[in-house]
Amino acid sequence: MIISTTHTIENKPVKEYLGIVSGETIIGANIIKDFFAGIRDIVGGRSGSYEKVLREAKDTSLREMQQRAETLGANVIVGVDLDYETVGKNGGMLMVTSSGTAVKI
């Protein structure tokens, strides 16, 4: 399935709009990752553990959105938007949402 942030796919006219689809993921970051990320902040550098959590949350959200689009009979999702938010007590959880329009081309 093609998943695109653009609203059209070049040289592929949309035959049918099937509706908005979305995927949501909430992932908690544990205290050990928080501790090592804090050390990284002090000494500099990137936090690989948080980057891995971000990628995992994004991939899960996109996969869920794709499954919903497939249920509608879509073969493409256009106009995809990704949003990242922290939620929960002290922002201890990461929420990633993806949304787009399911279409047939």
Side-chain angles (χ1 to χ4, degrees):
M1 175 173 293
I2 298 171
I3 299 174
S4 177
T5 58
T6 63
H7 294 283
T8 60
I9 304 298
E10 190 173 343
N11 299 321
K12 304 278 186 181
V14 172
K15 294 178 183 172
E16 186 177 0
Y17 289 88
L18 302 169
I20 296 170
V21 288
S22 64
E24 303 82 20
T25 305
I26 298 177
I27 293 182
N30 68 33
I31 194 163
I32 294 170
K33 288 180 185 175
D34 289 344
F35 174 75
F36 286 112
I39 291 173
R40 280 271 198 224
D41 288 342
I42 293 169
V43 298
R46 295 169 58 169
S47 175
S49 59
Y50 274 125
E51 288 174 358
K52 182 179 177 185
V53 169
L54 277 170
R55 278 191 303 275
E56 180 183 333
K58 175 192 62 109
D59 292 345
T60 302
S61 178
L62 289 170
R63 191 169 39 255
E64 184 178 297
M65 181 182 62
Q66 180 178 343
Q67 290 169 348
R68 289 180 178 157
E70 287 171 349
T71 300
L72 295 175
N75 59 356
V76 175
I77 305 171
V78 294
V80 173
D81 180 56
L82 292 168
D83 291 308
Y84 297 83
E85 297 288 334
T86 55
V87 295
K89 187 177 181 180
N90 299 322
M93 301 188 84
L94 173 68
M95 177 176 68
V96 179
T97 58
S98 57
S99 62
T101 302
V103 301
K104 286 185 182 180
I105 59 168

